[in-house]
Amino acid sequence: MRRSSLRLAAAVLLPVALMGGTAQAQGQVYKSSAHDYRIVTVASGFVNPWSVAFLPGGDLLVTERAGRLRIVRGGKLLPNPVAGVPVVVAAGQGGLLDVALHPAFAQNKVIYLTYSKQITGGSTTALYRARFENDALVDGKDIFVADTKGRPGHFGSRITFDKAGHVYISVGDRQIGPEGDLTAHPAQQLSNHHGKIIRLMDDGRVPADNPFVNKAGAKPEIWSYGHRNPQGLTIHPVTGDLWEIEHGPQGGDELNLIEAGKNYGWPVVGFGVNYGPGKAIHASTMLPGMENAKNVWVPSIATSGLLVYTGTKFPEWKGSVFVGGLAGQRLVRLTLDGQKAEVADNLVKNQGRVRDVRQGPDGFIYLAIDDSQGKPTSVVRLEPVARR
Amino acid sequence: MRRSSLRLAAAVLLPVALMGGTAQAQGQVYKSSAHDYRIVTVASGFVNPWSVAFLPGGDLLVTERAGRLRIVRGGKLLPNPVAGVPVVVAAGQGGLLDVALHPAFAQNKVIYLTYSKQITGGSTTALYRARFENDALVDGKDIFVADTKGRPGHFGSRITFDKAGHVYISVGDRQIGPEGDLTAHPAQQLSNHHGKIIRLMDDGRVPADNPFVNKAGAKPEIWSYGHRNPQGLTIHPVTGDLWEIEHGPQGGDELNLIEAGKNYGWPVVGFGVNYGPGKAIHASTMLPGMENAKNVWVPSIATSGLLVYTGTKFPEWKGSVFVGGLAGQRLVRLTLDGQKAEVADNLVKNQGRVRDVRQGPDGFIYLAIDDSQGKPTSVVRLEPVARR
C-alpha cells in the first residue's frame, strides 16, 4: 500500500477510492535521527522519470526515459513535451536519461542531456548540449558519444560540473561479462569508454590536463576507470570533491570518491556476486592499485541519484550525502567526516523506487520516483517537520 | 574527550578537574530515529569488563577478563571479587569471559561462566557451572571443554539458553590461518570445536537430537559450524530463533541466524580481507551450501554483545536487535522483519568499546564498556528521554 502512495497523485489515472491515501501520505510525519519530515507530492503523472532540474523562474524540467523532456509549471505537469530532444533508443535501461543546466544557464541558456544514442548494432551513452529557449531546445548537438557497445543496459550517464568549467559524465560498462580474465574487462581498459568517468570542457573539447591525454591508446576523455554502472555523480559544492555512486552486482553497490586517473576496480575487486546464482565474480574485495569504496551496500539497494545537501531547510543535514535506492526503495543519508562516509539514516522507506535526488533552490530535497512496471509516478519533495 | 567520558565515574582514579565531564555525559541527550536517550553510568572502576548478568535482588554480576567476577550492589562495585571462580589463562583475548544465570536460577542458584582454560601447550574455551550462594561460587565444575588449540585469541564464548532446557555457547576459530585449502580449515571440519556453536543439556550432557550425534568422526556437541569469532549469541525471547554475531576479518563482521547443522562459511565465504595487507581470503562472498549473513558490517566494527530487546522503557525499540561495537565504538540497532535484519541506528557513538549489551530487569539497556589499554571503565545504561 505504502509503495503506491506516491503514485496516487496521478489522480486522474486512479480510482477515487484510492484518493484518501494521498492526503494520508501528504500528512504523514516520518521520523529520523536529526530531522522529522513529510513527503509532499510536487507533480504527478510521469512515466519512468529519470532526472530533475530547476529553472530560474521556478519551473522544473523532468526527463522521462521514453524520450520526453517535461516541464512542471505552477505545480502542474504541462501536457506537451519540450521540442528539440534528440531521438533516443528507449530500450532496456536506455532512453532519455539525465538533464542538467549549465552553471551559467541564467546567461547562456545552455542545458545538457544524456541519452542512449543509436549506433551501428545498438546504442551508446551520448551527451547532448543545446539552448533552452521559449520552452524548446535549439541548436542542439552531441558533444560526446561514448565508444561503448553491449546490451541495452548500464548506460550510467549522470552529469555534473566543477567550478573550473568542466563537465563530467558517468558511463556504465554496458553489461559486458564479467568472465574469464577480469583484468581484460573493458572497464579495466583505457581504450574505450565502458565503465568510465568522463571529463570534458563545457563545449565537449578534451581538457589538456586530463590524466590520460598523452597515453598512447588511451581515450583522452577518461577521468577515472573500473566502474560498473554509475547512476550518481556530483561535485561537492564546498570541497569540490567528485563523488560517485554505482550499481554493483548483488551485494556490491558503492559510493566512491573519484580522483584523476584512478582505478575503481570493477570487476577485479568488489563485494558482489552475480545476480541469481550468487556466482563469485571478484579476485578479492580489495587489491593494491585499486580504490576502495567509501561505502558499500550489502545487500544492494540499487543506488541512483546523488546529492550533497547544502540547504537551510534541514540544518542538521547540511553537508550530508543523500543517495537514492531503486530496488531498495529509500533515500539514504550518509554523514561525511572529511572524506569518510557513514550511513546515518534510511529515509523514505518503501515509498517507491528513488531514481533521482536533487536539492531545489528552495532548499527542499526533491526525488524522482520511478516504477519498474512503467506505472505513472510522481516527483516529490521532503519538507521538515518541527518535533513535537 | 567523549571517548573517555564513560570512564570518568571511576572518579577515585581520576583528577577532580575531569569530574565535570561526568555530569555532562550523564546530562547529555542523544537523538535517534525512534527514541532519544541518555547514557547513565551504573558502576565504574572495572578493568576489561566482559559480561553483565542481573541477580534477582537487584545486584549485578560483572566478569573482568583478568579472572575476577565482581558484584555491583546498590550502585557500588564491591571491592572483593567473588570466590570460587576457576583459574583462567588471562592472555591475549583470553581470560574470564561470559557469565549467565540458569533460567531457573531463582530456584537452583546455578550460574555459568565461560573462560580460557589451561590445556597442554595453551588454552581453550571452557564452560563452567556452579551454584552462587552467599556471594560465592560453590560446587563448580567444567561441563564442557572445547577441543581447540591455537593462539590466545578468538575464544568466542557467549552463553544463551532456549526454553527446552538447552545451553548454547559459541567457540571461536582460535585464529588458525586461514591459508591454503580453505575447506580444510578447522572451522569447516566437524572433528573439532574450532568456530562452532555448541548445544548441550543444562548439565553438559549432549542432547540426543543434536545434528551430528550419529555422524562418525563428528563432535556431537556441534550445533552449527563455519564460524570465526562469535562474541554474541542469544535466543530471541519471542520467536526462539538463535541469533549470533561474529568478528569477521577486515570488512566482514556478521549477524547470523543459526540453524541446526548448517555451515556459516568461514573461511570459505565472507566479505572480508586480511587485516593489514588487505590480502584476499575467500573463494567468494556466497556459495551454495553456506548460509548468508543477515547483516554484514563493511567496514568492520568489531561486533561484541547481542541483545533482542523486549522491554517497555523503549517502546519503539521493542523487537529490535542491538549489537555492540568495540573498534567501531557504538551500539547498533537493527530492526527485524521476520528473519530479515536491517541497521536502523548507530547509537552511543565514540563513547568507548562496547563489549557487552544486556537488557536489565528494569527494561533499560546495559552496556559493558571495555578499553584496549586496560584503563578502568564503566557499566552504563541507556535511559529514554521524552522528545521536546
Side-chain angles (χ1 to χ4, degrees):
Chain A
M1 287 312 299
R2 261 184 155 199
R3 177 175 177 181
S4 63
S5 60
L6 288 183
R7 305 200 191 90
L8 291 178
V12 292
L13 300 159
L14 290 163
V16 175
L18 284 176
M19 292 297 291
T22 311
Q24 192 185 6
Q26 300 277 353
Q28 183 166 354
V29 174
Y30 299 89
K31 289 182 182 177
S32 82
S33 56
H35 283 289
D36 297 341
Y37 61 94
R38 279 197 181 80
I39 303 170
V40 175
T41 300
V42 173
S44 300
F46 302 95
V47 176
N48 301 130
W50 216 89
S51 178
V52 178
F54 302 89
L55 291 164
D59 292 355
L60 272 61
L61 289 175
V62 180
T63 54
E64 293 181 297
R65 203 178 67 221
R68 295 179 296 271
L69 179 63
R70 308 293 298 271
I71 298 175
V72 176
R73 180 165 294 157
K76 295 268 171 299
L77 175 58
L78 301 189
N80 299 326
V82 170
V85 169
V87 175
V88 307
V89 181
Q93 299 170 6
L96 184 60
L97 303 172
D98 212 28
V99 56
L101 305 191
H102 189 288
F105 176 86
Q107 293 75 45
N108 64 20
K109 302 281 180 270
V110 169
I111 83 167
Y112 297 82
L113 299 169
T114 51
Y115 70 106
S116 307
K117 181 185 177 67
Q118 181 77 57
I119 56 170
T120 311
S123 61
T124 190
T125 304
L127 177 63
Y128 188 82
R129 176 187 156 120
R131 285 200 323 284
F132 182 75
E133 295 177 354
N134 309 315
D135 294 354
L137 298 184
V138 295
D139 299 338
K141 66 168 203 267
D142 294 323
I143 61 170
F144 174 74
V145 178
D147 175 14
T148 73
K149 51 179 172 305
R151 300 189 223 164
H154 296 199
F155 290 96
S157 85
R158 292 294 181 187
I159 305 164
T160 191
F161 305 90
D162 66 19
K163 290 193 166 70
H166 303 106
V167 57
Y168 300 76
I169 74 164
S170 58
V171 180
D173 75 345
R174 308 304 316 285
Q175 288 183 292
I176 304 295
E179 51 203 356
D181 175 7
L182 299 177
T183 61
H185 188 279
Q188 286 293 312
Q189 306 304 315
L190 298 173
S191 55
N192 66 73
H193 295 125
H194 290 253
K196 308 299 192 304
I197 304 299
I198 302 300
R199 179 177 182 249
L200 305 168
M201 310 301 289
D202 69 350
D203 60 3
R205 285 174 298 132
V206 174
D209 59 350
N210 270 8
F212 301 112
V213 280
N214 299 319
K215 186 179 173 70
K219 295 285 187 185
E221 302 87 359
I222 296 173
W223 186 247
S224 67
Y225 65 108
H227 303 289
R228 187 173 177 273
N229 188 23
Q231 288 193 344
L233 188 69
T234 193
I235 293 277
H236 190 299
V238 178
T239 66
D241 289 337
L242 180 59
W243 290 92
E244 175 252 27
I245 52 168
E246 56 187 82
H247 292 280
Q250 183 174 305
D253 293 339
E254 298 181 355
L255 171 70
N256 292 304
L257 177 67
I258 302 299
E259 296 179 343
K262 295 207 168 161
N263 178 358
Y264 288 79
W266 171 256
V268 182
V269 298
F271 289 83
V273 295
N274 284 313
Y275 282 92
K279 191 162 140 288
I281 296 172
H282 306 293
S284 178
T285 52
M286 306 181 190
L287 282 176
M290 299 186 185
E291 304 309 304
N292 300 327
K294 296 296 186 173
N295 191 69
V296 179
W297 281 266
V298 180
S300 296
I301 61 170
T303 50
S304 184
L306 178 61
L307 165 71
V308 177
Y309 183 73
T310 58
T312 56
K313 288 284 199 304
F314 294 97
E316 297 192 57
W317 288 356
K318 202 161 191 164
S320 288
V321 172
F322 290 84
V323 174
L326 291 161
Q329 293 200 30
R330 72 194 60 191
L331 176 66
V332 183
R333 182 174 76 97
L334 301 97
T335 51
L336 282 188
D337 173 9
Q339 296 181 325
K340 282 178 53 189
E342 181 169 58
V343 171
D345 296 302
N346 284 288
L347 311 167
V348 194
K349 293 281 295 289
N350 306 315
Q351 297 281 315
R353 295 162 55 85
V354 178
R355 173 69 71 181
D356 198 17
V357 183
R358 304 282 174 174
Q359 179 179 323
D362 50 20
F364 294 123
I365 294 174
Y366 287 72
L367 308 179
I369 307 300
D370 199 357
D371 181 88
S372 54
Q373 306 309 310
K375 294 202 197 77
T377 64
S378 300
V379 169
V380 303
R381 71 185 190 193
L382 274 59
E383 299 181 0
V385 175
R387 283 191 171 160
R388 294 112 305 143
Chain B
M1 285 314 298
R2 263 183 152 198
R3 176 171 177 181
S4 64
S5 60
L6 288 183
R7 306 200 193 90
L8 293 178
V12 292
L13 299 159
L14 290 164
V16 175
L18 284 176
M19 292 297 293
T22 311
Q24 191 185 5
Q26 300 276 354
Q28 184 165 353
V29 174
Y30 298 89
K31 289 181 183 178
S32 81
S33 56
H35 283 290
D36 297 342
Y37 60 94
R38 279 196 181 79
I39 302 168
V40 176
T41 301
V42 173
S44 300
F46 301 96
V47 176
N48 300 129
W50 216 90
S51 178
V52 177
F54 302 88
L55 290 164
D59 293 353
L60 272 60
L61 289 175
V62 180
T63 54
E64 292 180 299
R65 203 177 66 222
R68 295 180 297 270
L69 179 63
R70 308 293 298 272
I71 298 174
V72 176
R73 180 165 293 157
K76 296 267 173 298
L77 175 59
L78 301 190
N80 299 327
V82 171
V85 169
V87 175
V88 308
V89 181
Q93 300 169 6
L96 184 60
L97 303 172
D98 212 29
V99 57
L101 305 190
H102 189 287
F105 177 86
Q107 295 75 47
N108 63 19
K109 302 279 179 272
V110 169
I111 83 167
Y112 297 83
L113 299 169
T114 51
Y115 70 105
S116 308
K117 181 184 177 68
Q118 182 78 56
I119 57 171
T120 312
S123 61
T124 189
T125 304
L127 178 63
Y128 187 82
R129 176 187 156 120
R131 285 201 322 286
F132 183 75
E133 295 177 354
N134 309 316
D135 293 353
L137 299 184
V138 295
D139 298 339
K141 68 166 201 272
D142 294 322
I143 62 170
F144 174 74
V145 178
D147 176 13
T148 73
K149 51 179 173 306
R151 300 188 224 164
H154 295 199
F155 290 96
S157 85
R158 292 293 180 186
I159 305 164
T160 191
F161 305 90
D162 67 19
K163 290 192 166 68
H166 303 106
V167 56
Y168 300 77
I169 74 163
S170 57
V171 180
D173 75 345
R174 309 302 317 286
Q175 287 183 291
I176 304 295
E179 53 203 355
D181 175 7
L182 299 177
T183 61
H185 189 278
Q188 286 293 312
Q189 306 303 317
L190 298 172
S191 56
N192 67 73
H193 295 123
H194 289 253
K196 308 298 191 306
I197 304 298
I198 302 300
R199 179 178 181 248
L200 305 168
M201 309 302 289
D202 70 350
D203 60 2
R205 284 173 300 132
V206 174
D209 59 350
N210 270 8
F212 302 113
V213 280
N214 299 317
K215 187 179 171 70
K219 295 287 187 185
E221 303 87 359
I222 296 173
W223 186 248
S224 66
Y225 64 108
H227 302 290
R228 186 173 177 274
N229 188 23
Q231 288 193 345
L233 187 68
T234 193
I235 293 277
H236 190 298
V238 177
T239 66
D241 288 337
L242 181 59
W243 289 92
E244 174 255 22
I245 52 169
E246 55 186 83
H247 292 280
Q250 183 173 303
D253 294 338
E254 296 182 356
L255 171 71
N256 292 305
L257 177 67
I258 303 299
E259 296 178 343
K262 295 209 169 160
N263 179 358
Y264 290 80
W266 171 256
V268 182
V269 298
F271 289 83
V273 295
N274 283 312
Y275 281 92
K279 189 161 142 288
I281 297 173
H282 307 292
S284 177
T285 52
M286 309 180 188
L287 282 175
M290 298 185 185
E291 303 308 304
N292 299 329
K294 296 296 187 174
N295 190 70
V296 178
W297 280 266
V298 179
S300 296
I301 62 169
T303 51
S304 184
L306 177 62
L307 165 71
V308 178
Y309 184 74
T310 58
T312 56
K313 287 285 199 306
F314 294 96
E316 296 192 57
W317 288 356
K318 203 163 193 163
S320 289
V321 172
F322 290 84
V323 174
L326 291 161
Q329 293 199 33
R330 71 193 62 191
L331 177 66
V332 183
R333 182 173 76 96
L334 301 96
T335 52
L336 282 188
D337 173 9
Q339 295 180 328
K340 280 177 55 188
E342 182 168 58
V343 171
D345 296 302
N346 284 288
L347 311 166
V348 195
K349 294 280 296 288
N350 306 314
Q351 299 279 316
R353 295 162 55 87
V354 178
R355 175 68 72 182
D356 198 17
V357 183
R358 304 281 175 175
Q359 179 179 324
D362 51 20
F364 293 124
I365 294 174
Y366 287 71
L367 308 179
I369 306 299
D370 199 357
D371 181 90
S372 54
Q373 307 308 312
K375 295 200 196 77
T377 64
S378 301
V379 169
V380 303
R381 71 183 189 193
L382 274 60
E383 299 181 359
V385 175
R387 283 192 171 160
R388 295 110 305 145

